[in-house]
Amino acid sequence: MPDRPTSKAASRLPPFNLLDLTVILAVLAVAALVIHPRWAAVEEYRDTLFGHRAPTVFKVSELSSAWTEKTVRQRFPESDLWCGPYRGPMKMDRACDLKTQAYNGVSATRVAFFFKEGQLREAVVHVASWAHADGYHHLLGEFGKPYASQPLPAKGVRLHGWRLQDGAGVFYNRDRPTDPLESNAIYWRSAQDCRTGCFRDGFAVASP
């Protein structure tokens, strides 16, 4: 049996440096920031595919600023729906988040509704990454050929855009995300907000 180290030998071991602990904690913190959102995305898709979410059915052309939070609750009474204060970067007061399995037969994870002063101002359907083509063909069936399209990316995204008769705009990313955990987005913007510029120089833009 090997001899146990003496106290003298143990004393020669290098002391644990506080800087080492700081570095380790910093690395763990960065790893958590990277892993957590991706794990959340994995969980989102797992719940979408194998959970008990209900499919969602409505036309984007139905949306208008006449919709209120009450309208959303009445329109989707049996859905997994949350509504509450909005604390994100957009200038909105409240939001509703509807978890779903599909949007009009297209694989999707959720639909978000954003309100300002009680009126619906923006909405987003998060289409699953693998269903990019299905989402685009669905929009072609509802609205026809895009009114405008961006030939080059703006903020990393190229958009198709449809101008609706009431002045609202609908947008969809032209390219499927390279990251399979990202989603595509069908983005509706109200006529009030499109007055500041949803289309510029013949191209679709999502913000003024």
Side-chain angles (χ1 to χ4, degrees):
M1 179 180 294
D3 295 334
R4 298 177 61 184
T6 65
S7 59
K8 184 177 180 181
S11 66
R12 290 198 299 269
L13 295 175
F16 193 81
N17 195 320
L18 183 60
L19 179 60
D20 297 334
L21 178 60
T22 304
V23 171
I24 291 172
L25 291 176
V27 170
L28 291 175
V30 171
L33 289 174
V34 173
I35 293 172
H36 179 267
R38 295 188 65 79
W39 181 251
V42 171
E43 286 292 295
E44 175 86 328
Y45 277 128
R46 182 194 63 78
D47 193 39
T48 300
L49 292 171
F50 305 109
H52 301 283
R53 297 185 179 189
T56 303
V57 178
F58 72 93
K59 290 184 177 181
V60 174
S61 55
E62 294 180 59
L63 300 175
S64 76
S65 58
W67 280 42
T68 63
E69 188 175 318
K70 182 179 179 181
T71 307
V72 172
R73 291 181 182 275
Q74 292 177 340
R75 187 70 172 74
F76 310 105
E78 299 180 1
S79 299
D80 186 353
L81 179 68
W82 171 91
C83 294
Y86 174 73
R87 308 188 190 282
M90 299 188 299
K91 296 179 180 179
M92 300 291 161
D93 305 324
R94 293 182 65 81
C96 289
D97 181 60
L98 186 158
K99 293 183 179 180
T100 188
Q101 181 190 56
Y103 166 70
N104 294 349
V106 177
S107 295
T109 58
R110 58 183 63 233
V111 184
F113 303 89
F114 301 95
F115 302 89
K116 184 176 182 180
E117 298 176 351
Q119 296 180 323
L120 180 65
R121 303 294 287 270
E122 298 184 12
V124 182
V125 179
H126 293 276
V127 174
S129 60
W130 61 83
H132 177 266
D134 295 336
Y136 179 60
H137 287 116
H138 175 74
L139 291 171
L140 288 178
E142 184 171 357
F143 301 114
K145 184 179 178 181
Y147 171 82
S149 298
Q150 289 177 322
L152 298 174
K155 298 182 180 179
V157 180
R158 298 191 306 163
L159 297 174
H160 289 303
W162 291 262
R163 176 177 281 175
L164 306 190
Q165 291 183 350
D166 64 354
V170 177
F171 304 91
Y172 191 64
N173 49 294
R174 291 186 63 177
D175 306 299
R176 176 179 174 175
T178 55
D179 186 341
L181 294 180
E182 291 184 11
S183 61
N184 309 282
I186 297 175
Y187 171 48
W188 173 88
R189 199 171 191 210
S190 70
Q192 293 97 311
D193 292 285
C194 274
R195 288 173 189 160
T196 59
C198 278
F199 299 92
R200 187 183 303 137
D201 299 328
F203 299 121
V205 294
S207 60

